[in-house]
Amino acid sequence: MVPVFDPYDRPGVSVTAFAPGRVNLIGEHTDYNDGLALPFAIEQGVSVTATAIGGRLVEAVVVESGERDTFDPASTAAVPGWRAFVRGVAAELAGEGVELPGVRLEIAGTVPQGAGLSSSAALAVAASLALLAVAGKQPHDRVALARLCSRVENEWVGAHTGLLDQLASLFGEADRALRIDFRSLQLDPVALELGSFRLVALDSGESHALAESGYNDRREECAEACRRLGIASLREATMALAAELPDPLNRRVEHVVAENERVEQTVAALAAGELQAVGELLNDSHASLRDLYEVSTAEVERTRQTLCEEGAVGARIMGGGFGGSVLGLFPQDASPPAGATEVRPGPGARLLA
Ligand code: GLA
């Protein structure tokens, strides 16, 4: 239990929050289309230690690089990079009536930035949990907190992303993936029993910033497809409806329709212990993201090729695309290439003792 205190009277109270990054097993570019996805929180993540220091300013420092930012939480000035996430979280919390004390935030991370493992969502989630705790407030509703962090990404950073990363970080569980239905926001834990197989992420080395990539264009294309088809979201789309659209909108819709089905097929394959079939679904997802959704790059293709040559039974681009990491599923008798990181499902965001 975090002690409740008067923020202006008791400087020095310190709390640490940890929020994991995520791997999305399958279900890519479906979240903002009211679709399905199957992510899991990973063991790597971001921790934020918040120490009340008196006064009203927030002083943030990235431990590894020494980069700093000092700001008034009421400020709405636009800033680039990691600072936008921290300022955005503080301002959104203040906007919801959370009285923030003057506070120092020390940020440390084990999840690489721009590698498609959601370092940014992890930073926003950890910062919000730490700030709430140091202000003496527990978040009652984690879905609302996910929305707040997503608003930060949309409005403060300019990436029109969905709720995938924040929900995975907040609701992750050890040994489980999370089937998310973004229409109802129903979250169902799914046992991730890989047997002798293992999942790895291999960074393509091509860093992506979603706000500047083609991500927002894809989102706009999906909205345009809905307008033309007269439907509220692509969850209502079918292959027949997709065929009524001009290229490339038809291919974008085909991807989303088939990707939702692949999520259900992956859940079924996992339940049946058919890991080879999971691998094939990962390969199908990748082909669709490359050819229909067009979010792959030459560097990502080379990275995937490396994973396949080393014996992955399935591999696919992960996250927003246009760079980032490639996920590979390896059987026991194959060794992932140098530089690949094994990714295992770990618990969701939490305060550390
Ligand atoms: C990024 C976004 C998510 C989601 C994925 C693609 O990770 O932050 O909201 O749209 O891309 O599935």
Side-chain angles (χ1 to χ4, degrees), residues 22 24 27-32 118 153 161-165 210 215 319-320:
R22 64 100 190 91
N24 192 16
E28 218 65 271
H29 290 275
T30 48
D31 64 343
Y32 54 84
S118 282
E153 194 136 345
T161 49
L163 278 176
L164 171 75
D165 309 340
L210 289 178
Y215 184 96

Side-chain angles (χ1 to χ4, degrees), residues 28 129 143 149 291 293:
E28 218 65 271
L129 285 177
V143 172
C149 293
D291 302 333
Y293 219 71

Side-chain angles (χ1 to χ4, degrees), residues 273-338:
E274 288 168 2
L275 274 301
Q276 203 76 32
V278 172
E280 280 156 32
L281 287 158
L282 297 185
N283 288 335
D284 292 348
S285 172
H286 181 79
S288 180
L289 287 158
R290 181 191 59 215
D291 302 333
L292 302 179
Y293 219 71
E294 295 184 290
V295 292
S296 190
T297 64
E299 216 41 67
V300 165
E301 290 306 315
R302 268 194 287 280
T303 307
R304 178 171 181 273
Q305 186 67 30
T306 305
L307 289 168
C308 294
E309 280 166 10
E310 296 299 329
V313 297
R316 67 174 204 86
I317 186 172
M318 196 172 41
F322 305 99
S325 288
V326 180
L327 181 67
L329 180 62
F330 277 80
Q332 192 173 28
D333 57 0
S335 300

